[in-house]
Amino acid sequence: MPSAQFELSDPPTDAISAIQFAPASLRLLVASWDKHVYLYDTSQSGGKLLQTYEHRAPVLDVCFGESDEDACTTGLDWDVRHLNLSTGTQTVLSSHNAGVKSLAYSPQHQILISASWDSTLNIHHLASPSTPIASISLPSKPFSISVTATKLVVAMASRALNIYDLASLALAASSLTATDDPTAAIPVEIEPWQRRESSLKFMTRAIACMPNDAGYASSSIEGRVAVEWFDPSPESQARKYAFKCHRQANEQGIDVVYPVNALAFHPVHGTFASGGGDGFVALWDGVSKRRIRQYQKYASSVSGVAFSGDGKYMAVAISPGFEDGKEGGGEGVVKVFVRELGENEAKGKGAK
């Protein structure tokens, strides 16, 4: 039986930068360059737009916080905000000195991490707003971040990659003295648990951590995905690998290489989805190194992929990606689709 897919009504009016399901429901947050965050209920076919939240500038990332009623947003206004989804109240948690590309919330440590193009991470304690905000300098500009239960992975320019221990980040603010400005970030020095160089030769576009806390996948602008493990032992590091994907032959039979814009791990099966500038979404078994399936081509570049907390649904955001060199994509190329997955649709295939 083919899986059911539906398109969300009332999509954003400009490119989609991020999508995320709530941890314990089928609420879906969508961030857009149209300066809005959208909240949908996707529990019924067609979905329902519950609310929009206007921001001062394009929104680059959004995530749920302590509950399905709490969200955090960030973008080109340089601010990190807490958003009460019930009341619409926005509270500035901290400000960076440049646009803020990525957010990640750790429920285990109740901290929100923001990564800015000013080459800093800010650490926010959502459960105790009076705790000072720690700021950590990065060696280069961050492009994507992701968390596990114990670690934060930061992919940066110059193919640099830092892995931090989340417990250390959560403790970073404990020795700080609060200032008169609760949104002021105080610099602290924290050594990464590991420093690595990306396995990919070209710029990292996305990173996503395995749900079992064992490692991560990263993708590049040059149609490749790398899979790596945290364990520093030679045996474990020998398992890492990279593979080509999201490449399509043109009329002359030459491979056209597309960026891999989005990665997301399935919370139950540990497989992962990739979304590319070629308009395709593929499911992969990272352990057995096999592609499970590739879905039909979407009308424009895939800009976001997310799984629901129970793993039964997958959301796909598409936006014009300009990979074909043409400005603008005409009407109707910004959309969000929600696919109900079959029981074994995202299950790994096992070794060859």
Side-chain angles (χ1 to χ4, degrees):
M1 185 181 111
S3 57
Q5 175 177 280
F6 61 84
E7 180 184 331
L8 289 185
S9 54
D10 304 307
T13 59
D14 203 345
I16 294 168
S17 50
I19 55 174
Q20 190 183 58
F21 274 107
S25 73
L26 290 179
R27 286 182 152 202
L28 182 73
L29 283 170
V30 178
S32 171
W33 280 76
D34 68 8
K35 304 181 184 179
H36 288 80
V37 168
Y38 294 72
L39 176 64
Y40 297 92
D41 177 1
T42 68
S43 61
Q44 294 180 338
S45 182
K48 181 182 180 183
L49 178 62
L50 299 177
Q51 192 62 261
T52 60
Y53 308 92
E54 187 173 5
H55 288 61
R56 294 189 305 166
V59 186
L60 297 185
D61 206 359
V62 64
C63 67
F64 280 91
E66 297 172 280
S67 74
D68 289 4
E69 297 296 334
D70 289 292
C72 298
T73 68
T74 198
L76 292 182
D77 63 358
W78 305 4
D79 290 337
V80 180
R81 297 169 181 267
H82 175 265
L83 173 59
N84 184 310
L85 297 175
S86 300
T87 65
T89 303
Q90 296 184 29
T91 307
V92 174
L93 300 175
S94 73
S95 296
H96 286 268
N97 293 316
V100 188
K101 174 62 174 65
S102 306
L103 291 175
Y105 177 68
S106 166
Q108 290 83 3
H109 298 276
Q110 294 183 302
I111 57 172
L112 173 77
I113 303 108
S114 58
S116 167
W117 289 326
D118 66 7
S119 299
T120 63
L121 300 174
N122 280 2
I123 313 300
H124 314 79
H125 287 258
L126 295 188
S128 54
S130 60
T131 302
I133 294 157
S135 175
I136 299 163
S137 289
L138 297 172
S140 50
K141 184 187 292 186
F143 292 145
S144 184
I145 66 175
S146 183
V147 293
T148 67
T150 65
K151 296 175 183 67
L152 165 72
V153 183
V154 183
M156 295 169 283
S158 306
R159 298 175 57 232
L161 196 138
N162 280 3
I163 304 170
Y164 293 90
D165 175 65
L166 279 176
S168 298
L169 296 184
L171 288 171
S174 60
S175 61
L176 299 178
T177 304
T179 64
D180 293 336
D181 181 3
T183 67
I186 303 171
V188 296
E189 287 194 22
I190 294 185
E191 281 294 302
W193 176 65
Q194 285 184 20
R195 288 186 177 90
R196 294 188 181 185
E197 185 177 85
S198 170
S199 300
L200 304 170
K201 293 180 182 178
F202 291 84
M203 188 178 92
T204 303
R205 179 58 65 92
I207 198 156
C209 288
M210 299 176 186
N212 64 357
D213 204 4
Y216 59 91
S218 58
S219 68
S220 79
I221 59 171
E222 188 252 344
R224 287 179 194 264
V225 168
V227 180
E228 303 191 36
W229 280 263
F230 292 134
D231 181 353
S233 70
E235 297 80 16
S236 183
Q237 290 307 300
R239 296 173 64 197
K240 70 181 180 182
Y241 66 94
F243 61 93
K244 298 177 184 178
C245 53
H246 296 283
R247 297 163 180 237
Q248 306 297 329
N250 63 14
E251 294 172 357
Q252 289 77 39
I254 300 169
D255 262 4
V256 179
V257 180
Y258 292 88
V260 184
N261 298 323
L263 294 172
F265 273 90
H266 191 278
V268 177
H269 300 307
T271 53
F272 67 92
S274 64
D278 56 353
F280 283 99
V281 171
L283 286 180
W284 309 89
D285 184 335
V287 175
S288 65
K289 306 182 183 180
R290 300 179 70 182
R291 188 174 80 180
I292 300 168
R293 57 178 37 84
Q294 179 171 279
Y295 294 101
Q296 90 284 351
K297 191 177 191 298
Y298 289 96
S300 53
S301 175
V302 177
S303 57
V305 179
F307 289 104
S308 60
D310 60 7
K312 293 180 179 178
Y313 294 86
M314 178 176 71
V316 177
I318 64 170
S319 306
F322 313 117
E323 284 88 357
D324 56 5
K326 298 173 185 173
E327 284 288 330
E331 289 292 319
V333 290
V334 176
K335 295 182 178 181
V336 180
F337 297 89
V338 177
R339 176 181 290 274
E340 184 178 2
L341 301 176
E343 188 177 349
N344 296 314
E345 191 170 336
K347 198 170 185 180
K349 287 190 169 184
K352 290 181 181 178

